[in-house]
């Protein structure tokens, strides 16, 4: 509707899908509209950046304001002037908008109205004009009244990606669902296609994977998952490329913009919400940033509309709020207050600055969590409430990657293990297996721990006292008992497989089910940089996450502390294999961020785990909680044995707590193939 159209004004028409006006007009007419009980769905306001705030009817269900903002103009969301203005206006009975169309449809309807070439402008044009939306009556009349929009982005225009990268092997389609508690049927569906390990075949000689559970990659490279359709389309066709030279593996560098809406907007009701931010002034409203679209297209919508479309978003908001509230109590307020507000409410001109590093954190949070969801795993978020340093750069993978040659070696070793099948369950051994009568798991520990094995397989230097080896048994809830814990003891957990005849929900199958709790990769300080914090409460003894990375063969003298390789990302094996490590320096999951603490909250446990006996058997590393870890608390481990810690001031000063006197054998190291 256009108020100044001949013969029509707000006295004769009392509702409209879209109102268009200048900010001056808005100031003059608003009270009149309110008195009339005028109902509207969208407002397009020219030069909106000149006003301090656009006020929307507080109890309106679906009305919104489209603010046409020239680039680099900041909307001040919480100024005193704004507050007093809203208070003055709210004394008048507010407008209750009629629910004519859902917000996203209204948006794409508006921007896809480019029938005559006058709308929309490209983002560059928008930046160079003070009147970015050249809307007029003829333009508006071309808007499709029933809210239908041009066809979705031409999917054929997007080249299909070769399936030889780390992330595309975890595709779950264009899913938008966060599994909270999975049903057995859902777990079973995921398990059928679940990847258990990735073979790295640099030569490219392997053409076919022996099982869909064991994908082959030629190079360690994370790319945008195919299932994130719009992110891939944005990468291919989007009108804006981030100017930073930094490439984040698996994260798009190119995005759709407002200028692309007419061509690629499609049915925005089906767009995928990437992140949501609360509105501090209107608790019923949120800002939504969409996947594959730049931050300037972030949109204000009612919570009702958003939750109806994407119910999981409600949980995201609640979890973020809870995590940030915990951070405010755990950290010095002055260090985190601004950043916490930014995480919840945006602000600081973020909506007008798509280059802002903040948006890269949002991309990583969504895309890595997407990979997790495809595997039935909870979220991983990236947050920095302390400064605006760049987020970490690495290739994300929820499974280990191993060279073909090393996997073959394990398969040979497994022939020796075949004799385990002949072993019976040790009498009197406690097992939490659902099927105690048929569970043979403890025989496996006995095989690895047999007396003659050290003589056969381990160099003298690696022989250890049998008595320090512990076969850790979970209780009926899958928790380990850490009574009398000594970080230097060697521990092993043997999990059940299909050979035991138990279900995937058996308490002795923790690691193979994958990351159990949502976690946040959180900027700790300038020395430790990123660490890991709990997004959900974790109980003492519970499995938290697997430590994934690349399985590397190392010489015995390379294990632990060496000065020409950053071994702080290595997790070692002590019982199953003393010659390999899992290193997460280049590729891994959230566990790679755990910082060292001299009194840690979690520990590594070497784990014999495979879901099916037909899966390859490689030693794996579990992370278990040594104590209850509340939301917002740090998940730390002890990187080094006591005898490896330094006696003098060299290496790296330990910053696990303010007064720690220890020095860690971590030496400054620059990798040749540093991803920078
Ligand atoms: C496995 S990485 C952990 C992730 C890393 N902080 C990051 O941002 O990628 C280990 C590195 O974290 C830092 N770090 C972890 N714990 C530390 C501690 N207690 N004191 C000092 N630095 C620590 C050291 O720089 C170490 O080399």
């Amino acid at each position: 509707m256009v108020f100044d159209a001949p013969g029509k004004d707000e006295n004769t028409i009392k509702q409209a899908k879209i109102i268009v006006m200048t900010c001056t007009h808005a100031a003059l007419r608003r009270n009149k509209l309110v008195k009339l009980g005028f109902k509207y769905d969208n407002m397009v306001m020219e030069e909106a950046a000149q006003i301090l705030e656009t006020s929307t009817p507080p109890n309106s269900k679906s009305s919104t304001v489209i603010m046409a903002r020239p680039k680099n103009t900041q909307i001040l969301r919480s100024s005193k002037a704004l507050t007093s203005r809203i208070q003055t206006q709210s004394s008048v009975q507010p407008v209750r908008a009629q629910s004519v169309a859902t917000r996203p449809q209204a948006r794409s309807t508006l921007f896809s109205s480019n029938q005559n070439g006058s709308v929309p402008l490209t983002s560059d044009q928008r930046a160079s004009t003070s009147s970015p939306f050249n809307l007029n009556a003829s333009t508006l009349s071309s808007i499709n009244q029933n809210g239908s929009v041009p066809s979705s982005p031409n999917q054929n225009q997007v080249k299909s990606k070769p399936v030889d990268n780390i992330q595309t092997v975890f595709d779950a389609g264009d899913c938008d669902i966060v599994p909270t508690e999975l049903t057995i049927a859902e777990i079973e569906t995921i398990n059928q296609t679940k990847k258990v390990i990735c073979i790295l075949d640099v030569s490219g000689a392997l053409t076919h994977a022996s099982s869909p559970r064991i994908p082959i990659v030629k190079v360690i490279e994370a790319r945008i998952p195919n299932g994130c359709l719009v992110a891939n389309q944005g990468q291919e066709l989007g009108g804006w490329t981030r100017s930073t030279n930094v490439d984040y593996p698996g994260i798009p560098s190119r995005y759709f913009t407002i200028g692309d809406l007419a061509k690629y907007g499609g049915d925005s009701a089906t767009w995928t919400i990437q992140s949501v931010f609360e509105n501090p002034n209107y608790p019923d409203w949120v800002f939504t940033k969409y996947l594959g679209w730049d931050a300037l297209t972030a949109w204000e919508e009612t919570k009702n509309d958003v939750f109806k479309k994407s119910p999981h978003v409600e949980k995201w908001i609640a979890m973020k709020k809870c995590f940030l509230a915990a951070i405010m109590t755990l950290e010095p307020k002055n260090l985190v207050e601004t950043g916490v507000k930014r995480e919840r409410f945006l602000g600081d001109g973020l909506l007008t600055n798509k280059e802002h590093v903040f948006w890269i954190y949002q991309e990583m949070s969504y895309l890595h969590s997407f990979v997790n969801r495809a595997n039935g795993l909870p979220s991983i978020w990236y947050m920095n409430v302390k400064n605006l340093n760049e987020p970490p750069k690495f290739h994300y993978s929820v499974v280990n990657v191993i060279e073909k040659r090393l996997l073959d070696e394990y398969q040979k070793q497994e022939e020796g293990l075949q004799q385990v099948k002949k072993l019976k369950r040790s009498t009197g051994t406690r097992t939490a297996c659902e099927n105690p009568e048929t569970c043979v798991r403890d025989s496996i520990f006995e095989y690895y721990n047999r007396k003659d094995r050290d003589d056969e397989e381990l160099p003298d230097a690696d022989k250890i006292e049998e008595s320090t080896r512990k076969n850790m048994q979970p209780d009926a809830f899958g928790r380990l008992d850490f009574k009398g814990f000594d970080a230097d003891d060697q521990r092993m957990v043997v999990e059940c497989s299909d050979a035991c005849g138990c279900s995937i929900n058996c308490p002795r199958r923790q690691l193979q089910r994958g990351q159990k709790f949502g976690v946040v990769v959180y900027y700790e300080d300038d020395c430790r940089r990123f660490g890991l914090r709990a997004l959900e409460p974790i109980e003492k003894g519970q499995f938290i996450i697997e430590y994934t990375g690349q399985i590397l063969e190392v010489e015995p003298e390379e294990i632990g502390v060496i000065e020409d390789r950053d071994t702080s990302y290595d997790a070692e094996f002590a019982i199953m294999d003393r010659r390999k490590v899992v290193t997460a320096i280049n590729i891994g999951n959230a566990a790679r961020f755990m910082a060292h603490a001299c009194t840690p909250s979690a520990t590594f446990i070497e784990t014999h785990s495979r879901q099916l006996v037909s899966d390859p058997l490689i030693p794996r590393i579990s992370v278990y909680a040594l104590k209850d870890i509340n939301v917002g608390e740090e998940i730390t481990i002890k990187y080094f044995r006591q005898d490896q810690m330094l006696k003098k001031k060299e290496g790296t000063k330990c910053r696990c707590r303010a007064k720690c006197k220890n020095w860690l054998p971590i030496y400054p190291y620059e990798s040749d193939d540093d991803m920078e």
Side-chain angles (χ1 to χ4, degrees), residues 405-420 447-448 450 453 456-458 553 575-580 610 617-619:
R405 180 180 60 87
L406 297 182
L407 186 63
D408 289 346
E409 217 177 84
Y410 278 121
Q411 269 160 352
K412 258 194 222 122
Q413 278 178 25
E414 213 189 311
E415 286 159 21
L417 193 66
Q418 295 303 317
Q419 60 179 286
V420 169
Y447 168 78
Y448 283 112
R450 66 189 196 279
R453 181 167 173 259
E456 270 173 26
E457 295 173 11
L458 297 177
E553 189 170 41
I575 302 174
M576 289 177 72
D577 189 341
R578 296 276 288 173
R579 296 189 186 88
K580 312 262 189 326
R610 55 179 167 179
L617 178 64
I618 55 155

Side-chain angles (χ1 to χ4, degrees), residues 343-406:
E343 286 294 335
R344 273 190 73 185
F345 307 123
L346 288 171
D348 296 347
L350 287 167
L351 281 175
T352 53
N353 184 1
K354 52 189 172 185
E355 291 279 5
H356 202 292
V357 74
F358 175 84
W359 295 113
I360 305 179
Y361 283 86
Q362 302 304 314
E363 297 290 327
M364 288 179 70
S365 299
Y366 181 84
L367 289 159
H368 292 180
S369 294
F370 179 92
V371 175
N372 274 15
R373 285 204 296 281
N375 287 273
L377 308 177
S379 296
I380 156 175
W381 291 348
Y382 294 81
M383 241 182 236
N384 185 346
V385 293
K386 292 184 179 147
N387 58 40
L388 297 171
N389 287 355
E390 284 175 354
K393 220 162 4 110
F394 71 108
H395 298 267
Y396 187 70
S397 175
V398 296
V399 298
N400 288 315
V401 178
I402 188 169
E403 271 180 53
K404 173 78 176 80
R405 180 180 60 87
L406 297 182

Side-chain angles (χ1 to χ4, degrees), residues 392 527-530 547 566 568-569 592-597 639 652-656 664 666:
C527 295
R528 293 190 304 152
R529 293 184 54 79
F530 292 91
Y547 189 87
D566 185 349
S568 67
Y569 288 90
R592 77 188 282 286
F593 291 100
M594 285 183 302
H596 162 92
Y639 288 3
T652 301
K653 179 162 176 38
C654 181
R655 311 267 174 186
C656 69
L664 307 172
I666 300 175

